[in-house]
Structure formats: structure tokens, C-alpha cells
């Protein structure tokens, strides 16, 4: 395969690239990445010594660059996106542009160039709160109604449904995946787990939104990319026009995560800091993965307890990677890392 990987310098995209290069000795990869704050060439193997990897810096909304990047590729794996919910509440425009318009450009070019497979990476955020149509909490199924609760989630619904429509209308060979919360090495530290790890390592308070009761299903990024690779290597009839949930059945609340990070790093509970919740915060994300288990025989294999320790060790061992990010002087990130200083009282109890 010659695979165009959009967003291949980001967290999940770069893990996918490293995995393909390490596992499939004849596959070639073209990464197209705009190198926004979340994209980092240090996430990829060195370009000079990796002949099967080429890199194009560019925007997925730019049709000319997309045409050039996609030429000679038979497969597209589309990770490129604005992904952070808190940012989408402040600057929704960027999310609509990259996630919706950018996906549209990619689909159009893929249709004209007749690619063999377009794997669209979506998210369980598209479902909103995990619950059945009658409101009872249960893991989301692929056929559930999409009820996005943030501009980010809404932009991913736009992208996800556009991708599906290109299969339905034009027969573009599309597969859509909706994965739960990823964690692991190389994750940009604006997200919950790396932010907690970094703050704990540096003895700063961990900002727990609300009462810390919101729960997510935590999947190690390596499990996620292995599921994607499995999909890419299936016969067409099994995966084209299909939507697959991906998750690990490792549901944990924010407070549980904050406590376990402090425990592993032997830091005091006094570093817990309860702060204002984000508007529209999803109470529970959880996905039903019986379809991918039944049809493709996939299930996650890295237990959260193991993956989290490995992730903490990785951040501990990579101060240079962290310092490079800090040197970008990203105002949003600086504020997120400091948010724990603004602790508030919860139910009258000062924290
Ligand atoms: C950054 C941060 C988050 N939180 C809370 C808010 C949420 O209840 C929970 C997880 O927040 P985040 O790490 O931002 O992840 P979440 O909103 O679930 O969205 C993630 O998971 C989605 C998949 O479910 C992906 O599509 C998104 O790109 C990814 O950002 O932790 C805190 O309590 N403190 C924090 O500092």
C-alpha cells in the first residue's frame, strides 16, 4: 500500500505511521500535515533515514496540495483535525474549516483519483452522552442517533456524515471508525491524562473539572492503531460502507484518573484542584464494540493500569519533547496547565 496519512505528525496519526513502518516492510507513507500547534515532526521517525516516509507540509483545505499529496496513493487514512473540545468552545470557526471543509476537499479529491480505500477517523464524541434512545445510560452503538454536545463534536458529525455520504452517493470506498478517549506517548498535554501527568511531575495542581465525576473509556493509542491497521487489511466486502466503534471497556472518571496519577508518582492528594466545569461536558462516553469484535475479531489488549504506567514513564523519560512544546509558548496550553491554581469550592467544601 501507498498510504496518504493526513495529520500524520499528530498524536494518533504519528503512532499509526510508526506502527505501519515497523510492521509492514513494503508499505509507503506520505504524511500531509499543516504542523499546527499539535503537529510535531519530532513525533515521526527521521525523514532523512526513512525512505518509505515522505512529508508534505500543507493544509487539507488546499485542494492543490491535497491533489499532489494523494497522487500515487491507493489508500487515505484521514486523522487531520482540530480535536480539543475546550478550544472548540473558544474558536469554533477553525473546527468547521479544518474538520468539515478539509474533509470535504479530501473526499472530492479521493473520488476523482479513485482511491481504493478511504479510512475516516471519527470519534465517539459524535454520540454525545452514552445512552439508549429512551435515555437509559448504555454504551453507544454505531446505529445510535448522533447528538453532539460541543462545536468540536458537531464538526466531527459533519465530517463523519459527509464521508458516509460519499460512499452512499458515489461509491467511494469509505470506512468510518469512532474511537473513545486515547492516551499514550506523544499526546499533546492539553488533554486530560498528559496534562495531569505533566502537572504532577512538576508539582502543580491537577485541574479537575466540576466534581470529577465525568467518565470516559480510555484506550491506549497502540490498541487504536492496531484496530485501524486490521481494518485496512480486510477484504473490501467486510469494511467498505461500514462504521466501527473502537474502545477498550476501561471506563474511569476524571477523579479516579487524577488520583491514580498522583498515586503512581507518589504525589500528595492536596494537588487535586476542583475547577469550573466546561459547558456541555459529556457525562459519560462509552462505546459498544461488539460489531468490530464479531466481524473482525478485534479487541483491545492493553489494560489501563499497564498502559498508564508506561505512559507516565514515557513522559518522565522525554523532558526534551516536553520542553520543545513549552518553548512554543502556546497561551492556551499555558493557561490549561495553570488552571488548577483557580480551585473553587465544591458543595461548600474548599479544595
Ligand atoms: C483537559 C482537562 C479535562 N478534564 C476533563 C474534561 C472531560 O470530562 C475529561 C476528558 O477531557 P479531554 O481530555 O479534553 O477529552 P474529551 O473532552 O473527552 O475529548 C477527547 O476524547 C474524544 C473521544 O471521546 C476525542 O474525540 C477528542 O479529540 C479528545 O479531546 O476530563 C479535566 O477535568 N481537567 C482537564 O484539565
Amino acid at each position: 500500500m501507498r498510504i496518504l496519512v493526513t495529520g500524520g505528525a499528530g498524536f494518533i496519526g504519528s503512532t499509526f505511521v510508526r506502527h505501519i513502518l515497523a510492521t509492514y516492510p513494503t508499505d509507503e507513507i506520505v504524511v500531509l500535515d499543516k504542523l499546527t500547534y499539535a503537529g510535531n515532526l519530532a513525533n515521526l521517525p527521521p525523514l532523512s533515514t526513512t525512505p518509505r516516509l515522505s512529508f508534505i507540509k500543507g493544509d487539507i483545505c488546499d485542494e492543490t496540495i491535497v491533489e499532489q499529496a494523494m497522487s500515487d496513493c491507493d489508500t487515505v487514512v484521514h486523522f487531520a483535525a482540530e480535536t480539543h473540545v475546550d478550544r472548540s468552545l473558544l474558536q469554533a470557526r477553525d473546527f468547521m474549516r479544518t474538520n468539515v471543509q478539509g474533509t470535504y476537499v479530501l473526499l472530492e479529491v479521493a473520488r476523482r483519483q479513485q482511491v481504493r480505500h478511504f479510512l475516516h477517523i471519527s470519534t465517539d464524541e459524535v454520540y454525545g452522552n452514552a445512552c439508549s434512545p429512551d435515555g437509559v445510560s448504555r454504551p453507544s452503538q454505531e446505529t445510535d442517533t448522533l447528538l453532539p454536545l460541543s462545536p468540536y463534536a458537531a464538526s466531527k458529525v459533519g465530517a463523519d456524515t459527509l464521508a458516509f455520504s460519499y460512499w452512499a452517493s458515489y461509491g467511494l470506498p469509505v470506512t468510518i471508525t469512532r474511537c473513545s478517549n486515547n492516551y499514550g506517548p506523544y499526546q499533546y498535554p492539553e488533554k486530560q491524562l498528559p496534562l495531569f501527568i505533566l502537572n504532577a511531575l512538576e508539582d502543580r495542581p491537577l485541574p479537575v473539572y466540576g466534581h470529577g465525576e465525568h467518565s470516559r473509556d480510555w484506550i491506549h493509542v497502540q490498541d487504536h492503531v492496531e484496530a485501524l491497521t486490521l481494518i485496512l487489511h480486510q477484504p473490501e466486502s467486510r469494511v467498505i460502507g461500514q462504521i466501527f466503534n473502537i474502545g477498550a471497556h476501561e471506563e474511569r472518571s476524571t477523579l479516579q484518573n487524577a488520583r491514580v496519577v498522583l498515586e503512581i508518582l507518589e504525589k500528595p492528594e492536596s494537588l487535586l484542584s476542583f475547577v469550573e466545569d466546561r459547558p456541555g461536558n459529556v457525562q459519560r462516553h462509552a462505546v459498544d464494540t461488539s460489531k468490530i469484535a464479531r466481524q473482525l475479531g478485534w479487541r483491545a489488549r492493553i489494560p489501563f493500569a499497564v498502559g498508564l504506567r508506561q505512559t507516565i514513564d514515557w513522559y518522565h523519560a522525554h523532558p526534551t519533547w516536553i520542553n520543545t512544546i513549552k518553548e512554543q509558548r502556546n497561551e492556551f496550553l499555558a493557561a490549561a496547565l495553570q488552571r488548577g491554581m483557580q480551585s473553587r469550592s465544591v458543595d461548600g467544601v474548599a479544595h
Side-chain angles (χ1 to χ4, degrees):
M1 278 191 268
R2 186 171 161 86
I3 312 172
L4 172 63
V5 180
T6 71
F11 163 51
I12 308 175
S14 66
T15 309
F16 173 82
V17 170
R18 294 192 307 274
H19 178 66
I20 291 284
L21 291 172
T23 321
Y24 296 92
T26 55
D27 284 356
E28 293 178 3
I29 291 184
V30 179
V31 166
L32 172 62
D33 197 298
K34 192 177 170 187
L35 294 182
T36 63
Y37 74 93
N40 187 347
L41 277 181
N43 295 354
L44 289 169
L47 294 165
S48 54
T49 52
T50 318
R52 289 188 290 126
L53 174 64
S54 39
F55 179 82
I56 299 174
K57 182 173 189 273
D59 186 343
I60 54 168
C61 294
D62 181 335
E63 197 164 327
T64 311
I65 286 190
V66 168
E67 274 171 356
Q68 179 203 332
M70 207 183 287
S71 63
D72 301 332
C73 289
D74 45 51
T75 304
V76 178
V77 185
H78 175 33
F79 294 95
E82 292 289 341
T83 65
H84 195 48
V85 175
D86 289 312
R87 282 181 193 262
S88 81
L89 296 164
L90 299 172
Q91 38 189 104
R93 181 195 298 265
D94 294 350
F95 287 70
M96 300 308 140
R97 183 178 180 279
T98 298
N99 299 359
V100 183
Q101 175 72 11
T103 300
Y104 158 74
V105 170
L106 284 164
L107 290 164
E108 263 302 304
V109 176
R111 177 171 82 89
R112 287 201 300 269
Q113 298 194 2
Q114 300 183 331
V115 301
R116 278 203 356 240
H117 199 172
F118 189 107
L119 179 53
H120 176 74
I121 312 303
S122 186
T123 164
D124 66 356
E125 290 275 345
V126 296
Y127 298 118
N129 274 308
C131 63
S132 64
D134 51 9
V136 178
S137 185
R138 63 139 174 79
S140 304
Q141 297 171 348
E142 288 87 347
T143 47
D144 281 355
T145 309
L146 306 184
L147 287 170
L149 298 186
S150 66
Y152 159 68
S155 71
K156 290 298 283 187
V157 170
D160 178 317
T161 51
L162 250 182
F164 190 81
S165 78
Y166 267 65
W167 171 70
S169 307
Y170 304 113
L172 183 71
V174 169
T175 306
I176 295 165
T177 56
R178 296 177 181 155
C179 191
S180 62
N181 286 58
N182 283 230
Y183 70 96
Y186 298 97
Q187 186 169 28
Y188 191 80
E190 65 189 353
K191 303 284 201 280
Q192 188 215 83
L193 272 173
L195 190 147
F196 285 178
I197 294 168
L198 218 67
N199 276 11
L201 282 171
E202 297 177 0
D203 297 303
R204 262 194 314 271
L206 278 54
V208 173
Y209 291 6
H211 297 74
E213 76 280 23
H214 307 94
S215 79
R216 303 288 187 265
D217 170 14
W218 297 92
I219 183 170
H220 194 282
V221 64
Q222 184 63 27
D223 273 331
H224 183 187
V225 303
E226 286 178 18
L228 301 177
T229 311
L230 181 70
I231 289 171
L232 287 178
H233 290 86
Q234 295 297 310
E236 274 187 24
S237 58
R238 285 184 147 190
V239 293
I240 300 304
Q242 298 291 325
I243 301 170
F244 294 102
N245 284 341
I246 299 174
H249 307 286
E250 291 278 16
E251 282 190 61
R252 302 275 186 283
S253 73
T254 301
L255 192 51
Q256 280 175 305
N257 279 358
R259 286 206 161 112
V260 78
V261 167
L262 292 176
E263 194 185 305
I264 293 172
L265 286 169
E266 297 178 358
K267 301 287 180 176
E269 282 238 341
S270 56
L271 284 181
L272 289 177
S273 168
F274 292 86
V275 300
E276 208 59 55
D277 197 4
R278 74 163 60 125
N281 196 3
V282 174
Q283 281 298 326
R284 179 188 184 208
H285 271 318
V287 282
D288 182 328
T289 57
S290 50
K291 179 173 174 183
I292 193 167
R294 198 178 52 246
Q295 297 190 6
L296 308 185
W298 178 87
R299 69 182 182 82
R301 59 181 181 84
I302 304 176
F304 183 71
V306 175
L308 181 62
R309 277 180 187 273
Q310 178 252 14
T311 303
I312 290 177
D313 288 348
W314 187 89
Y315 280 92
H316 207 185
H318 289 78
T320 314
W321 186 87
I322 292 165
N323 288 335
T324 311
I325 283 172
K326 283 193 181 150
E327 279 158 19
Q328 290 174 343
R329 299 192 181 282
N330 186 311
E331 278 176 31
F332 180 92
L333 178 64
L337 291 167
Q338 296 295 332
R339 190 163 294 137
M341 310 296 232
Q342 309 150 10
S343 70
R344 66 183 178 87
S345 79
V346 176
D347 295 339
V349 181
H351 290 270

